[in-house]
Amino acid sequence: MPTLTLKTLKEYRRAIIGWTVGMCAFLGMYISIYASMKDSPDILSRSALAKYPGALRDLMGGMLDIGTGVGYLQAIAYQMLGPLLLVMCAAILGNRAIAAPEQSGTLELTLTLPIDRKQLVLQRWVGLFLGLLTIAVITLLVILAAQSGAGMGVPVGHVLAAHTGLFLVALFFGTVALAVGAAVGRRQTALTVVGVWAVAGYVVETLGRNADWISWARWLSPFHYFLDGRPLYAGWPVGDYLVLAGATAVLLLTAVLAFDRRDVGV
Amino acid sequence: MTDMTAVVETEGLTKFYGKRRGLEDLTLAIQPGEVFGYLGPNGAGKTTTIRLLLDVIRPTSGRMSVLGADPRDPKVRARIGYLPGELELEGKEKARDYLTFLADVRGGVSRGRIDELAERLEADLSVAMGKLSKGNKQKVGLIQAFMHDPELLILDEPTSGLDPLVQQEFLAMVREVRTTGRTVLMSSHVLAEVEHVSDRVGIVRAGRLVAVEDVAALRERAVRKVEFHFDAPVPREAFEGLPGLRDLVVEGASVRCTIDGRPDPLIKAAAKFTTVHMVSAEPDLEEIFLTYYSDEERHHAHAHA
Ligand SMILES: Nc1ncnc2c1ncn2[C@@H]1O[C@H](COP(=O)(O)OP(=O)(O)OP(=O)(O)O)[C@@H](O)[C@H]1O
Ligand SMILES: [Mg+2]
């Protein structure tokens, strides 16, 4: 592994552990609630519907089937909170790749090492990729174990497909943060871009499903390529995932080229 | 420039930050084995020059070469030791682990070498870097700059934050580097900090290099106050009219005077008597340097008027 990637992972270690533990606790807790209530799905769906009226329900993906195993898993892990948490984590890690060390001043010495600037961005990104992958794999294993324990009955292949989409969305937004940081070197700018794009993108994708006046914008939302194909129900939306992966690659290339051209730390 | 052997070579090097001038039209050559002191007041352009030489920032115009190559070439940077002017070290990482990382990227440094430098500078490497005091951070910065025995050291205000003893140790390290024929470029605000190790000094002011001087030549031109005490009264004629001698006061067995340049004639004159005690104040190079370059500047102002 390149030295700088290893170093990046060391810097991320605490965050990776923290987010993994937090997300696993969150998912484990909600799946255990399902286990205790699955014999009375009516109560489950009635209480859920009462809690989320109208548009909120649309944001949560409809929740009509919250009483079923697959509907419940979709609602807690893959609809809103799961992506939201992992995207936040990705944005923070992506910011710590370039913008944060540049603003604190620690990037200057790294930059004067015998590492090409393009390599610097790439090796940092590989660190981000591996960090997010670690969180994704561990949460996947927890979900698989918990859902089979709770008898949710979702095919393993579908969980794997949905989780891959979740990972791709997070990686995309992490790469956005890294790329904005590489281009302008401001962590606040990077966080704002990710925040606005993620929230607007999510709203457009979920509410836009039932509102024509914003549905045209759905293709701009990264969540569209994750949620629209309903991977937890239908398996791999290969084309959509390729769009996400391709967009991430384009962003990474932009980051590499932008960082190679500019003054650092000014 | 045709001089191919220079370690650092710049020609018309200019950097503007938007409309703000950082450095303008710097033409400079630093030779192998030379210790070059780069002086100037706050905001003069020292850090700008140094960041350009390390490809942290890119010139607006002009060209430069470092160790015979473009500083964009990452291979060249392995042969440079760099101490940033505003060194930032943070987090829970231990200084030793950070040094090991830097050493690995530069192709490896023996553990003994890091320990040896840490011992010389009395640096504690087992502390989390975020908890180090300013001076101790500076020591870590110096260790990483020296540890891989680079051919060229570029040090931005290396003595800032160091206590006098550590400063002396640092200057000894610079001398050792020069002894082995390697090259040093170091910046400072005051001549006194660098004059004892520098071969040449350059002064930069408001983005422009206004003077480059040989330290030995400066010292020859320096003004020195000297006092001799003899075992018996001496005649004034023995000292009067010596080349470079001014402000001569002879009172019985003691002689006081000021001497410009070499003290040799005075020493030879004094050798005819029996000296009991002698005082020679350190020449104030700073003073003559400052007069020198403010004259130079006035000259410039006239030329442009
Ligand atoms: N990032 C920046 N943006 C705009 N102007 C800058 C920037 N960095 C430096 N400057 C300007 O360039 C000029 C030279 O600054 P530089 O940092 O090179 O000075 P210096 O000689 O290192 O000063 P000091 O002794 O205070 O470290 C100053 O006028 C400064 O304001
Ligand atoms: Mg400076």
Side-chain angles (χ1 to χ4, degrees):
Chain A
M1 194 183 290
T3 324
L4 194 55
T5 298
L6 204 63
K7 161 93 171 141
T8 309
L9 283 174
K10 271 189 197 158
E11 289 171 15
Y12 286 174
R13 190 175 51 201
R14 282 163 179 278
I16 292 172
I17 293 173
W19 282 89
T20 306
V21 170
M23 287 192 65
C24 289
F26 166 82
L27 293 166
M29 189 187 77
Y30 270 94
I31 293 175
S32 72
I33 291 177
Y34 174 83
S36 66
M37 293 186 67
K38 69 174 174 199
D39 296 328
S40 42
D42 294 347
I43 301 176
L44 200 62
S45 55
R46 239 183 291 124
S47 73
L49 293 181
K51 217 159 123 196
Y52 298 98
L56 260 181
R57 206 176 303 150
D58 282 347
L59 277 179
M60 289 296 293
M63 301 204 302
L64 293 174
D65 58 352
I66 188 105
T68 68
V70 62
Y72 189 86
L73 189 60
Q74 173 71 23
I76 61 149
Y78 299 114
Q79 188 63 41
M80 191 162 86
L81 292 171
L84 193 83
L85 287 173
L86 203 59
V87 164
M88 256 167 71
C89 166
I92 290 169
L93 295 185
N95 229 351
R96 281 169 55 180
I98 291 174
E102 175 167 353
Q103 280 192 299
S104 73
T106 55
L107 189 63
E108 179 162 341
L109 204 49
T110 316
L111 208 61
T112 60
L113 292 170
I115 302 177
D116 177 79
R117 282 213 194 173
K118 296 189 180 81
Q119 278 294 320
L120 190 149
V121 176
L122 284 175
Q123 294 185 17
R124 287 294 235 180
W125 182 84
V126 172
L128 171 69
F129 173 88
L130 292 176
L132 287 175
L133 188 66
T134 308
I135 303 176
V137 167
I138 296 174
T139 47
L140 172 68
L141 295 177
V142 166
I143 288 177
L144 286 175
Q147 78 106 9
S148 90
M152 287 176 139
V154 186
V156 171
H158 288 184
V159 178
L160 186 62
H163 215 81
T164 303
L166 179 67
F167 168 71
L168 286 175
V169 167
L171 183 65
F172 173 85
F173 280 112
T175 309
V176 171
L178 178 141
V180 176
V184 303
R186 297 273 179 276
R187 73 219 281 182
Q188 199 52 53
T189 313
L191 277 186
T192 308
V193 170
V194 172
V196 170
W197 197 350
V199 170
Y202 186 81
V203 170
V204 163
E205 171 57 22
T206 50
L207 298 188
R209 210 186 285 271
N210 304 319
D212 288 343
W213 60 276
I214 43 170
S215 68
W216 63 270
R218 285 170 68 193
W219 72 274
L220 283 171
S221 167
F223 293 104
H224 178 65
Y225 305 93
F226 167 45
L227 296 175
D228 197 51
R230 296 165 57 81
L232 197 61
Y233 299 82
W236 297 85
V238 177
D240 286 352
Y241 284 6
L242 285 178
V243 171
L244 274 179
T248 304
V250 170
L251 278 171
L252 178 59
L253 186 69
T254 313
V256 166
L257 295 178
F259 190 66
D260 199 36
R261 302 170 62 99
R262 71 176 175 91
D263 292 351
V264 171
V266 295
Chain B
M1 235 174 287
T2 50
D3 192 346
M4 294 304 288
T5 61
V7 173
V8 173
E9 212 180 354
T10 72
E11 199 180 294
L13 195 63
T14 300
K15 176 67 188 178
F16 276 82
Y17 300 96
K19 282 207 163 101
R20 270 190 87 79
R21 177 174 61 188
L23 183 71
E24 200 165 5
D25 200 20
L26 175 76
T27 299
L28 179 70
I30 299 175
Q31 304 303 328
E34 184 173 34
V35 176
F36 191 89
Y38 198 50
L39 303 174
N42 290 130
K46 304 181 295 294
T47 301
T48 300
T49 308
I50 285 172
R51 285 194 170 137
L52 285 167
L53 293 176
L54 283 141
D55 191 43
V56 174
I57 56 176
R58 304 288 170 58
T60 310
S61 63
R63 52 164 289 276
M64 63 191 148
S65 88
V66 177
L67 293 166
D70 188 321
R72 286 202 191 197
D73 179 357
K75 286 196 293 293
V76 172
R77 298 202 291 264
R79 297 155 60 198
I80 304 177
Y82 171 49
L83 176 72
E86 286 132 49
L87 178 68
E88 294 295 338
L89 303 171
E90 56 172 33
K92 300 201 165 59
E93 191 180 13
K94 302 233 190 316
R96 178 181 304 283
D97 296 337
Y98 186 55
L99 290 171
T100 309
F101 157 71
L102 296 173
D104 286 350
V105 180
R106 290 175 181 150
V109 168
S110 74
R111 192 189 156 101
R113 173 76 177 141
I114 294 178
D115 284 339
E116 173 205 321
L117 286 168
E119 205 164 305
R120 284 189 75 168
L121 296 171
E122 294 174 22
D124 183 355
L125 302 182
S126 61
V127 180
M129 288 195 297
K131 295 205 172 80
L132 289 173
S133 69
K134 177 171 163 47
N136 283 318
K137 281 186 184 165
Q138 191 76 350
K139 291 178 189 175
V140 175
L142 286 172
I143 294 172
Q144 64 80 29
F146 280 82
M147 67 184 177
H148 53 306
D149 293 320
E151 286 162 66
L152 169 63
L153 278 152
I154 299 184
L155 312 170
D156 196 353
E157 290 180 39
T159 52
S160 83
L162 298 181
D163 68 50
L165 276 179
V166 180
Q167 274 190 29
Q168 288 311 313
E169 195 58 48
F170 159 72
L171 292 176
M173 283 161 56
V174 171
R175 283 193 199 97
E176 286 162 26
V177 166
R178 183 173 50 183
T179 311
T180 54
R182 293 177 287 139
T183 312
V184 181
L185 163 60
M186 58 194 263
S187 80
S188 174
H189 293 119
V190 286
L191 181 61
E193 252 175 31
V194 298
E195 64 171 83
H196 296 290
V197 291
S198 298
D199 300 299
R200 281 195 305 155
V201 288
I203 283 226
V204 62
R205 256 192 162 189
R208 284 183 172 275
L209 188 68
V210 292
V212 177
E213 272 291 301
D214 203 277
V215 174
L218 268 183
R219 198 160 274 149
E220 280 202 2
R221 288 221 304 270
V223 175
R224 232 175 276 258
K225 287 193 168 53
V226 185
E227 241 179 271
F228 282 96
H229 299 270
F230 301 102
D231 67 344
V234 292
R236 187 180 170 87
E237 302 79 63
F239 295 95
E240 212 148 37
L242 290 176
L245 198 85
R246 289 191 279 117
D247 310 331
L248 179 65
V249 179
V250 181
E251 284 173 350
S254 73
V255 171
R256 269 179 289 135
C257 63
T258 305
I259 186 141
D260 295 329
R262 296 190 175 183
D264 188 58
L266 174 65
I267 303 286
K268 292 212 164 104
K272 297 188 188 93
F273 309 99
T274 308
T275 309
V276 189
H277 179 58
M278 177 196 156
V279 182
S280 169
E282 187 67 10
D284 194 352
L285 294 197
E286 189 102 36
E287 198 174 305
I288 70 155
F289 202 30
L290 291 179
T291 31
Y292 177 83
Y293 84 81
S294 57
D295 285 352
E296 189 86 342
E297 276 208 326
R298 230 173 289 139
H299 206 76
H300 261 281
H302 279 298
H304 289 290

